[in-house]
mmCIF file of all heavy atoms in Angstrom:
data_model
loop_
_atom_site.group_PDB
_atom_site.id
_atom_site.type_symbol
_atom_site.label_atom_id
_atom_site.label_comp_id
_atom_site.label_asym_id
_atom_site.label_seq_id
_atom_site.Cartn_x
_atom_site.Cartn_y
_atom_site.Cartn_z
ATOM 1 N N VAL A 32 7.049 -9.559 6.021
ATOM 2 C CA VAL A 32 7.264 -10.267 7.273
ATOM 3 C C VAL A 32 8.692 -10.795 7.294
ATOM 4 O O VAL A 32 9.309 -11.016 6.245
ATOM 5 C CB VAL A 32 6.273 -11.435 7.458
ATOM 6 C CG1 VAL A 32 4.845 -10.926 7.550
ATOM 7 C CG2 VAL A 32 6.396 -12.465 6.339
ATOM 8 N N TRP A 33 9.206 -10.943 8.514
ATOM 9 C CA TRP A 33 10.541 -11.503 8.746
ATOM 10 C C TRP A 33 11.588 -10.740 7.920
ATOM 11 O O TRP A 33 11.724 -9.532 8.095
ATOM 12 C CB TRP A 33 10.551 -13.004 8.454
ATOM 13 C CG TRP A 33 11.628 -13.761 9.196
ATOM 14 C CD1 TRP A 33 12.642 -14.492 8.650
ATOM 15 C CD2 TRP A 33 11.785 -13.858 10.617
ATOM 16 N NE1 TRP A 33 13.434 -15.037 9.620
ATOM 17 C CE2 TRP A 33 12.931 -14.668 10.857
ATOM 18 C CE3 TRP A 33 11.086 -13.343 11.707
ATOM 19 C CZ2 TRP A 33 13.390 -14.976 12.129
ATOM 20 C CZ3 TRP A 33 11.538 -13.657 12.986
ATOM 21 C CH2 TRP A 33 12.682 -14.454 13.178
ATOM 22 N N THR A 34 12.304 -11.409 7.007
ATOM 23 C CA THR A 34 13.315 -10.699 6.205
ATOM 24 C C THR A 34 12.900 -10.557 4.744
ATOM 25 O O THR A 34 13.707 -10.137 3.907
ATOM 26 C CB THR A 34 14.675 -11.421 6.268
ATOM 27 O OG1 THR A 34 14.544 -12.726 5.696
ATOM 28 C CG2 THR A 34 15.155 -11.560 7.715
ATOM 29 N N ALA A 35 11.660 -10.930 4.414
ATOM 30 C CA ALA A 35 11.213 -10.888 3.023
ATOM 31 C C ALA A 35 11.065 -9.444 2.543
ATOM 32 O O ALA A 35 10.848 -8.530 3.329
ATOM 33 C CB ALA A 35 9.882 -11.618 2.874
ATOM 34 N N GLY A 36 11.157 -9.267 1.226
ATOM 35 C CA GLY A 36 10.947 -7.953 0.631
ATOM 36 C C GLY A 36 12.200 -7.110 0.585
ATOM 37 O O GLY A 36 13.194 -7.389 1.259
ATOM 38 N N ASN A 37 12.162 -6.055 -0.215
ATOM 39 C CA ASN A 37 13.327 -5.190 -0.344
ATOM 40 C C ASN A 37 12.983 -3.917 -1.106
ATOM 41 O O ASN A 37 11.979 -3.849 -1.802
ATOM 42 C CB ASN A 37 14.471 -5.918 -1.066
ATOM 43 C CG ASN A 37 14.017 -6.610 -2.320
ATOM 44 O OD1 ASN A 37 13.744 -5.962 -3.330
ATOM 45 N ND2 ASN A 37 13.907 -7.938 -2.282
ATOM 46 N N VAL A 38 13.854 -2.946 -0.937
ATOM 47 C CA VAL A 38 13.813 -1.682 -1.679
ATOM 48 C C VAL A 38 15.166 -1.506 -2.343
ATOM 49 O O VAL A 38 16.204 -1.816 -1.738
ATOM 50 C CB VAL A 38 13.546 -0.482 -0.743
ATOM 51 C CG1 VAL A 38 13.542 0.832 -1.526
ATOM 52 C CG2 VAL A 38 12.238 -0.661 0.021
ATOM 53 N N SER A 39 15.170 -1.001 -3.564
ATOM 54 C CA SER A 39 16.435 -0.631 -4.207
ATOM 55 C C SER A 39 16.283 0.721 -4.881
ATOM 56 O O SER A 39 15.176 1.185 -5.141
ATOM 57 C CB SER A 39 16.877 -1.685 -5.229
ATOM 58 O OG SER A 39 16.060 -1.647 -6.386
ATOM 59 N N ALA A 40 17.413 1.351 -5.152
ATOM 60 C CA ALA A 40 17.427 2.646 -5.827
ATOM 61 C C ALA A 40 18.574 2.682 -6.826
ATOM 62 O O ALA A 40 19.685 2.229 -6.542
ATOM 63 C CB ALA A 40 17.587 3.783 -4.822
ATOM 64 N N ARG A 41 18.293 3.240 -8.006
ATOM 65 C CA ARG A 41 19.340 3.463 -8.999
ATOM 66 C C ARG A 41 20.232 4.604 -8.540
ATOM 67 O O ARG A 41 19.750 5.609 -7.998
ATOM 68 C CB ARG A 41 18.705 3.820 -10.343
ATOM 69 C CG ARG A 41 19.696 4.004 -11.473
ATOM 70 C CD ARG A 41 19.060 4.704 -12.663
ATOM 71 N NE ARG A 41 18.005 3.946 -13.308
ATOM 72 C CZ ARG A 41 18.198 3.094 -14.317
ATOM 73 N NH1 ARG A 41 19.411 2.892 -14.776
ATOM 74 N NH2 ARG A 41 17.155 2.468 -14.860
ATOM 75 N N VAL A 42 21.536 4.479 -8.773
ATOM 76 C CA VAL A 42 22.470 5.580 -8.528
ATOM 77 C C VAL A 42 22.523 6.420 -9.800
ATOM 78 O O VAL A 42 22.991 5.947 -10.842
ATOM 79 C CB VAL A 42 23.881 5.072 -8.175
ATOM 80 C CG1 VAL A 42 24.814 6.255 -7.906
ATOM 81 C CG2 VAL A 42 23.837 4.141 -6.963
ATOM 82 N N PRO A 43 22.022 7.658 -9.770
ATOM 83 C CA PRO A 43 21.970 8.470 -10.989
ATOM 84 C C PRO A 43 23.365 8.716 -11.581
ATOM 85 O O PRO A 43 24.334 8.952 -10.857
ATOM 86 C CB PRO A 43 21.357 9.791 -10.504
ATOM 87 C CG PRO A 43 20.653 9.455 -9.237
ATOM 88 C CD PRO A 43 21.456 8.366 -8.603
ATOM 89 N N GLY A 44 23.440 8.611 -12.890
ATOM 90 C CA GLY A 44 24.669 8.968 -13.582
ATOM 91 C C GLY A 44 25.697 7.870 -13.691
ATOM 92 O O GLY A 44 26.689 8.020 -14.423
ATOM 93 N N VAL A 45 25.503 6.767 -12.985
ATOM 94 C CA VAL A 45 26.429 5.630 -13.078
ATOM 95 C C VAL A 45 25.610 4.347 -13.140
ATOM 96 O O VAL A 45 24.453 4.318 -12.741
ATOM 97 C CB VAL A 45 27.409 5.575 -11.882
ATOM 98 C CG1 VAL A 45 28.343 6.771 -11.892
ATOM 99 C CG2 VAL A 45 26.659 5.495 -10.558
ATOM 100 N N ASP A 46 26.213 3.287 -13.627
ATOM 101 C CA ASP A 46 25.512 2.004 -13.728
ATOM 102 C C ASP A 46 25.616 1.257 -12.412
ATOM 103 O O ASP A 46 26.369 0.276 -12.272
ATOM 104 C CB ASP A 46 26.095 1.173 -14.874
ATOM 105 C CG ASP A 46 25.770 1.755 -16.234
ATOM 106 O OD1 ASP A 46 24.747 2.467 -16.338
ATOM 107 O OD2 ASP A 46 26.527 1.506 -17.181
ATOM 108 N N ALA A 47 24.841 1.721 -11.433
ATOM 109 C CA ALA A 47 24.906 1.124 -10.098
ATOM 110 C C ALA A 47 23.564 1.270 -9.394
ATOM 111 O O ALA A 47 22.731 2.104 -9.775
ATOM 112 C CB ALA A 47 26.011 1.766 -9.266
ATOM 113 N N MET A 48 23.363 0.458 -8.365
ATOM 114 C CA MET A 48 22.149 0.502 -7.566
ATOM 115 C C MET A 48 22.489 0.196 -6.120
ATOM 116 O O MET A 48 23.517 -0.414 -5.814
ATOM 117 C CB MET A 48 21.131 -0.525 -8.096
ATOM 118 C CG MET A 48 21.648 -1.938 -8.106
ATOM 119 S SD MET A 48 20.533 -3.132 -8.921
ATOM 120 C CE MET A 48 19.558 -3.655 -7.525
ATOM 121 N N VAL A 49 21.612 0.635 -5.215
ATOM 122 C CA VAL A 49 21.737 0.353 -3.787
ATOM 123 C C VAL A 49 20.566 -0.537 -3.410
ATOM 124 O O VAL A 49 19.414 -0.242 -3.768
ATOM 125 C CB VAL A 49 21.700 1.649 -2.957
ATOM 126 C CG1 VAL A 49 21.752 1.337 -1.461
ATOM 127 C CG2 VAL A 49 22.847 2.569 -3.355
ATOM 128 N N ILE A 50 20.837 -1.634 -2.677
ATOM 129 C CA ILE A 50 19.782 -2.591 -2.359
ATOM 130 C C ILE A 50 20.013 -3.200 -0.981
ATOM 131 O O ILE A 50 21.139 -3.183 -0.457
ATOM 132 C CB ILE A 50 19.710 -3.695 -3.448
ATOM 133 C CG1 ILE A 50 18.408 -4.500 -3.342
ATOM 134 C CG2 ILE A 50 20.937 -4.595 -3.405
ATOM 135 C CD1 ILE A 50 18.116 -5.383 -4.551
ATOM 136 N N LYS A 51 18.967 -3.719 -0.406
ATOM 137 C CA LYS A 51 18.998 -4.384 0.896
ATOM 138 C C LYS A 51 19.883 -5.636 0.855
ATOM 139 O O LYS A 51 19.883 -6.367 -0.129
ATOM 140 C CB LYS A 51 17.577 -4.769 1.288
ATOM 141 C CG LYS A 51 17.402 -5.605 2.544
ATOM 142 C CD LYS A 51 15.926 -5.942 2.719
ATOM 143 C CE LYS A 51 15.671 -6.847 3.922
ATOM 144 N NZ LYS A 51 16.105 -8.232 3.644
ATOM 145 N N PRO A 52 20.620 -5.922 1.928
ATOM 146 C CA PRO A 52 21.355 -7.184 1.999
ATOM 147 C C PRO A 52 20.408 -8.359 2.194
ATOM 148 O O PRO A 52 19.309 -8.203 2.730
ATOM 149 C CB PRO A 52 22.263 -6.995 3.225
ATOM 150 C CG PRO A 52 21.557 -5.990 4.078
ATOM 151 C CD PRO A 52 20.850 -5.074 3.117
ATOM 152 N N SER A 53 20.826 -9.519 1.772
ATOM 153 C CA SER A 53 19.983 -10.712 1.824
ATOM 154 C C SER A 53 19.835 -11.245 3.241
ATOM 155 O O SER A 53 20.830 -11.373 3.981
ATOM 156 C CB SER A 53 20.586 -11.810 0.935
ATOM 157 O OG SER A 53 19.826 -12.988 0.998
ATOM 158 N N GLY A 54 18.599 -11.548 3.630
ATOM 159 C CA GLY A 54 18.346 -12.264 4.871
ATOM 160 C C GLY A 54 18.641 -11.517 6.146
ATOM 161 O O GLY A 54 18.774 -12.145 7.207
ATOM 162 N N VAL A 55 18.732 -10.201 6.095
ATOM 163 C CA VAL A 55 19.009 -9.396 7.294
ATOM 164 C C VAL A 55 17.693 -8.857 7.836
ATOM 165 O O VAL A 55 16.874 -8.323 7.087
ATOM 166 C CB VAL A 55 19.984 -8.244 6.979
ATOM 167 C CG1 VAL A 55 20.185 -7.358 8.197
ATOM 168 C CG2 VAL A 55 21.324 -8.810 6.500
ATOM 169 N N ALA A 56 17.480 -8.999 9.144
ATOM 170 C CA ALA A 56 16.244 -8.533 9.768
ATOM 171 C C ALA A 56 16.099 -7.027 9.601
ATOM 172 O O ALA A 56 17.083 -6.281 9.614
ATOM 173 C CB ALA A 56 16.244 -8.893 11.249
ATOM 174 N N TYR A 57 14.861 -6.572 9.466
ATOM 175 C CA TYR A 57 14.613 -5.158 9.229
ATOM 176 C C TYR A 57 15.150 -4.287 10.353
ATOM 177 O O TYR A 57 15.667 -3.191 10.114
ATOM 178 C CB TYR A 57 13.112 -4.919 9.009
ATOM 179 C CG TYR A 57 12.676 -5.260 7.604
ATOM 180 C CD1 TYR A 57 12.435 -6.576 7.225
ATOM 181 C CD2 TYR A 57 12.529 -4.269 6.642
ATOM 182 C CE1 TYR A 57 12.058 -6.903 5.937
ATOM 183 C CE2 TYR A 57 12.151 -4.584 5.339
ATOM 184 C CZ TYR A 57 11.918 -5.898 4.998
ATOM 185 O OH TYR A 57 11.551 -6.210 3.705
ATOM 186 N N GLU A 58 15.055 -4.764 11.590
ATOM 187 C CA GLU A 58 15.547 -3.951 12.711
ATOM 188 C C GLU A 58 17.063 -3.853 12.742
ATOM 189 O O GLU A 58 17.623 -2.999 13.441
ATOM 190 C CB GLU A 58 15.032 -4.511 14.038
ATOM 191 C CG GLU A 58 15.484 -5.921 14.368
ATOM 192 C CD GLU A 58 14.495 -6.978 13.891
ATOM 193 O OE1 GLU A 58 13.739 -6.711 12.925
ATOM 194 O OE2 GLU A 58 14.490 -8.078 14.486
ATOM 195 N N ASP A 59 17.734 -4.692 11.948
ATOM 196 C CA ASP A 59 19.196 -4.658 11.900
ATOM 197 C C ASP A 59 19.739 -3.909 10.685
ATOM 198 O O ASP A 59 20.959 -3.821 10.503
ATOM 199 C CB ASP A 59 19.758 -6.093 11.890
ATOM 200 C CG ASP A 59 19.468 -6.837 13.183
ATOM 201 O OD1 ASP A 59 19.387 -6.174 14.238
ATOM 202 O OD2 ASP A 59 19.307 -8.065 13.135
ATOM 203 N N LEU A 60 18.850 -3.369 9.860
ATOM 204 C CA LEU A 60 19.314 -2.638 8.688
ATOM 205 C C LEU A 60 19.877 -1.278 9.090
ATOM 206 O O LEU A 60 19.311 -0.568 9.916
ATOM 207 C CB LEU A 60 18.162 -2.443 7.698
ATOM 208 C CG LEU A 60 17.586 -3.708 7.060
ATOM 209 C CD1 LEU A 60 16.438 -3.349 6.129
ATOM 210 C CD2 LEU A 60 18.668 -4.477 6.317
ATOM 211 N N THR A 61 20.997 -0.927 8.478
ATOM 212 C CA THR A 61 21.625 0.382 8.671
ATOM 213 C C THR A 61 22.075 0.891 7.304
ATOM 214 O O THR A 61 22.236 0.095 6.359
ATOM 215 C CB THR A 61 22.857 0.296 9.589
ATOM 216 O OG1 THR A 61 23.893 -0.448 8.912
ATOM 217 C CG2 THR A 61 22.520 -0.370 10.921
ATOM 218 N N PRO A 62 22.307 2.193 7.174
ATOM 219 C CA PRO A 62 22.838 2.687 5.898
ATOM 220 C C PRO A 62 24.124 1.984 5.493
ATOM 221 O O PRO A 62 24.347 1.711 4.304
ATOM 222 C CB PRO A 62 23.063 4.178 6.176
ATOM 223 C CG PRO A 62 22.033 4.515 7.211
ATOM 224 C CD PRO A 62 21.968 3.301 8.095
ATOM 225 N N ASP A 63 24.969 1.655 6.461
ATOM 226 C CA ASP A 63 26.260 1.052 6.146
ATOM 227 C C ASP A 63 26.153 -0.382 5.651
ATOM 228 O O ASP A 63 27.064 -0.856 4.957
ATOM 229 C CB ASP A 63 27.184 1.105 7.360
ATOM 230 C CG ASP A 63 27.692 2.506 7.632
ATOM 231 O OD1 ASP A 63 27.727 3.323 6.692
ATOM 232 O OD2 ASP A 63 28.047 2.792 8.791
ATOM 233 N N ASN A 64 25.067 -1.110 6.018
ATOM 234 C CA ASN A 64 24.999 -2.474 5.496
ATOM 235 C C ASN A 64 24.137 -2.617 4.246
ATOM 236 O O ASN A 64 23.924 -3.725 3.757
ATOM 237 C CB ASN A 64 24.620 -3.508 6.582
ATOM 238 C CG ASN A 64 23.229 -3.315 7.161
ATOM 239 O OD1 ASN A 64 22.340 -2.761 6.520
ATOM 240 N ND2 ASN A 64 23.044 -3.781 8.399
ATOM 241 N N MET A 65 23.669 -1.496 3.687
ATOM 242 C CA MET A 65 23.108 -1.548 2.344
ATOM 243 C C MET A 65 24.227 -1.917 1.365
ATOM 244 O O MET A 65 25.391 -1.597 1.587
ATOM 245 C CB MET A 65 22.508 -0.199 1.942
ATOM 246 C CG MET A 65 21.330 0.269 2.792
ATOM 247 S SD MET A 65 19.876 -0.777 2.685
ATOM 248 C CE MET A 65 19.957 -1.579 4.296
ATOM 249 N N VAL A 66 23.859 -2.586 0.285
ATOM 250 C CA VAL A 66 24.856 -3.084 -0.657
ATOM 251 C C VAL A 66 24.760 -2.309 -1.969
ATOM 252 O O VAL A 66 23.660 -2.051 -2.468
ATOM 253 C CB VAL A 66 24.645 -4.589 -0.930
ATOM 254 C CG1 VAL A 66 25.752 -5.126 -1.842
ATOM 255 C CG2 VAL A 66 24.599 -5.372 0.375
ATOM 256 N N VAL A 67 25.899 -1.939 -2.520
ATOM 257 C CA VAL A 67 25.966 -1.272 -3.822
ATOM 258 C C VAL A 67 26.437 -2.294 -4.848
ATOM 259 O O VAL A 67 27.467 -2.954 -4.658
ATOM 260 C CB VAL A 67 26.922 -0.067 -3.796
ATOM 261 C CG1 VAL A 67 26.922 0.633 -5.155
ATOM 262 C CG2 VAL A 67 26.544 0.900 -2.691
ATOM 263 N N THR A 68 25.667 -2.456 -5.918
ATOM 264 C CA THR A 68 26.065 -3.361 -6.999
ATOM 265 C C THR A 68 26.054 -2.603 -8.321
ATOM 266 O O THR A 68 25.479 -1.519 -8.422
ATOM 267 C CB THR A 68 25.107 -4.568 -7.119
ATOM 268 O OG1 THR A 68 23.883 -4.153 -7.733
ATOM 269 C CG2 THR A 68 24.821 -5.191 -5.756
ATOM 270 N N ASP A 69 26.661 -3.206 -9.333
ATOM 271 C CA ASP A 69 26.501 -2.653 -10.670
ATOM 272 C C ASP A 69 25.183 -3.165 -11.246
ATOM 273 O O ASP A 69 24.444 -3.905 -10.583
ATOM 274 C CB ASP A 69 27.710 -2.970 -11.563
ATOM 275 C CG ASP A 69 27.874 -4.450 -11.883
ATOM 276 O OD1 ASP A 69 26.918 -5.231 -11.677
ATOM 277 O OD2 ASP A 69 28.967 -4.835 -12.353
ATOM 278 N N LEU A 70 24.869 -2.789 -12.472
ATOM 279 C CA LEU A 70 23.582 -3.168 -13.042
ATOM 280 C C LEU A 70 23.604 -4.544 -13.696
ATOM 281 O O LEU A 70 22.684 -4.908 -14.438
ATOM 282 C CB LEU A 70 23.099 -2.096 -14.023
ATOM 283 C CG LEU A 70 22.806 -0.737 -13.384
ATOM 284 C CD1 LEU A 70 22.117 0.188 -14.385
ATOM 285 C CD2 LEU A 70 21.971 -0.862 -12.115
ATOM 286 N N ASP A 71 24.635 -5.327 -13.357
ATOM 287 C CA ASP A 71 24.644 -6.754 -13.643
ATOM 288 C C ASP A 71 24.609 -7.556 -12.345
ATOM 289 O O ASP A 71 24.739 -8.777 -12.366
ATOM 290 C CB ASP A 71 25.876 -7.145 -14.465
ATOM 291 C CG ASP A 71 25.803 -6.607 -15.886
ATOM 292 O OD1 ASP A 71 24.807 -6.908 -16.574
ATOM 293 O OD2 ASP A 71 26.726 -5.878 -16.301
#
Side-chain angles (χ1 to χ4, degrees):
V32 296
W33 205 240
T34 63
N37 48 73
V38 179
S39 72
R41 183 195 295 270
V42 181
V45 294
D46 290 335
M48 58 187 269
V49 177
I50 194 167
K51 174 183 177 286
S53 178
V55 176
Y57 280 80
E58 62 268 25
D59 295 329
L60 295 179
T61 68
D63 287 336
N64 64 26
M65 297 296 107
V66 184
V67 182
T68 75
D69 66 15
L70 296 189
D71 290 304

